[in-house]
Amino acid sequence: MSDRYCIRGCLRHGEHFAICDRNGDDYKGDNPCPGCAQVDARDGVLICERCYRRLRRHLEDAADIVGHLRSIADPTKAAAFDRIRVQSSSIEIPAPVAADLIDASNDITTTLNMWANHVAGEDRPGAGLPAGATADAAHDVVQLAVDVILEDLDSLANDSHQVYSLCEGVMVVHKDAPDVWTVADAAVRWPLEDAPRWAQAACPACDLMAVRVQPGRSGRPSRYRCTTPECEWGANANDDGGLWASVFAEPSSPEILPHDPTLLTLVDAARLVHREPGTVRGWVKAGDIEPHLGRYRTDDVLAVAARKRGQAA
């Protein structure tokens, strides 16, 4: 257990310090304390486990989000919706594109390039996207920066000044259109369309069947998160040596064997030997014919029918 607390001020809901005077049934004020006990920092870093995983998740998603923004907007035609429009003689007027799309993708790229330069020891400002960058090109530019940051993430997260600034630039969500967009801002405004599923194994922390699996994108690992309010467990497919990838692997579809033409239904077996279905059923009950998942082998049915005819003769 770490002896340090999350520097972002995360608190445990419903847990209080002994000196808390706004907690308990006897408190009658209008502002009861929802919880004031601090959350321990993750081992080796200065933020809690939840903040660390959120930070890493947003970094992992950054390239996909910027590519997504560029795919729904032509950066050469961005325009603010609230400006005064004048009549034009042009026959084909390009459709207006929300400037927020361009601002967000450019802000995110600039922020991450700045951090990548810092990690690499290069004393130069972060660069935005080239004018007219395509979705694929934008994705690749951001992915290069993200890979550099993730490589040194634990070191950054163990420096109080750096990790606080990195979190502010990546995972803070602003209420209105921000002056500088974060990855989290863009993820809320233009979410990526994924198909999460429920895991078929219980959460290792609370032992409830409440783990949500978020499939990985673009080679990124899948993520696992417990959805119970009291549990904050989460992991990705690479954690703990890939343990969770095997625990929460999607169940394989049952093997469907090809149809065996020598296996007959009861009706088909009776038709083959010109008997009533009840007669063949009687042979099965008597143990003369061995069933195979409700089917009967042709050779067995013919052999029993021939023996019955010989006995009758």
Side-chain angles (χ1 to χ4, degrees):
M1 181 66 70
S2 172
D3 58 352
R4 301 186 294 184
Y5 300 112
C6 179
I7 65 168
R8 301 190 71 241
C10 293
L11 302 173
R12 298 183 183 277
H13 184 76
E15 296 186 20
H16 307 267
F17 289 123
I19 60 174
C20 179
D21 59 358
R22 295 190 293 120
N23 171 48
D25 296 334
D26 295 334
Y27 182 72
K28 304 300 183 181
D30 296 328
N31 185 28
C33 178
C36 53
Q38 295 168 283
V39 179
D40 293 312
R42 173 187 167 103
D43 289 341
V45 298
L46 294 173
I47 53 177
C48 65
E49 187 72 25
R50 184 177 183 182
C51 287
Y52 181 87
R53 295 192 184 280
R54 285 182 58 204
L55 176 60
R56 185 176 66 180
R57 182 178 76 246
H58 285 307
L59 287 170
E60 291 172 347
D61 287 348
D64 288 328
I65 288 174
V66 171
H68 175 56
L69 299 184
R70 287 282 163 156
S71 71
I72 57 178
D74 181 349
T76 65
K77 299 176 182 177
F81 284 122
D82 58 354
R83 74 181 182 185
I84 299 175
R85 303 182 186 277
V86 297
Q87 196 171 23
S88 173
S89 59
S90 173
I91 298 176
E92 294 183 1
I93 301 177
V97 176
D100 282 351
L101 285 168
I102 310 308
D103 291 342
S105 59
N106 203 58
D107 287 349
I108 292 169
T109 305
T110 301
T111 297
L112 295 179
N113 275 333
M114 178 197 71
W115 278 101
N117 293 340
H118 171 70
V119 171
E122 300 179 8
D123 186 17
R124 56 191 176 92
L129 288 171
T134 64
D136 289 341
H139 177 281
D140 293 344
V141 168
V142 175
Q143 191 62 61
L144 286 173
V146 166
D147 288 340
V148 173
I149 298 169
L150 288 175
E151 184 70 22
D152 209 40
L153 182 59
D154 283 1
S155 176
L156 293 171
N158 202 31
D159 183 294
S160 60
H161 298 294
Q162 294 190 104
V163 70
Y164 194 88
S165 297
L166 182 59
C167 288
E168 289 292 307
V170 172
M171 56 185 276
V172 170
V173 178
H174 301 91
K175 292 183 179 181
D176 302 315
D179 294 331
V180 177
W181 289 81
T182 68
V183 179
D185 284 326
V188 171
R189 179 78 173 272
W190 301 282
L192 294 168
E193 295 182 359
D194 290 320
R197 62 177 176 84
W198 291 105
Q200 300 300 307
C203 170
C206 67
D207 203 31
L208 296 177
M209 298 292 290
V211 174
R212 199 74 164 152
V213 179
Q214 187 73 48
R217 294 183 302 271
S218 304
R220 289 298 178 186
S222 297
R223 294 192 291 261
Y224 317 105
R225 179 180 62 86
C226 185
T227 59
T228 56
E230 298 80 11
C231 183
E232 296 182 354
W233 182 85
N236 74 25
N238 293 336
D239 288 339
D240 300 314
L243 170 65
W244 307 114
S246 59
V247 171
F248 297 113
E250 189 170 6
S252 57
S253 301
E255 182 181 5
I256 301 177
L257 300 176
H259 173 65
D260 186 347
T262 66
L263 292 176
L264 305 173
T265 65
L266 183 66
V267 174
D268 290 338
R271 186 180 296 116
L272 175 66
V273 295
H274 307 289
R275 300 294 182 94
E276 293 295 326
T279 301
V280 178
R281 187 182 294 110
W283 296 348
V284 175
K285 290 182 178 180
D288 296 325
I289 298 177
E290 181 182 358
H292 298 274
L293 297 177
R295 299 291 188 270
Y296 313 97
R297 294 197 178 279
T298 301
D299 292 344
D300 294 344
V301 175
L302 291 174
V304 173
R307 188 170 69 249
K308 297 295 184 180
R309 283 196 297 270
Q311 293 173 355

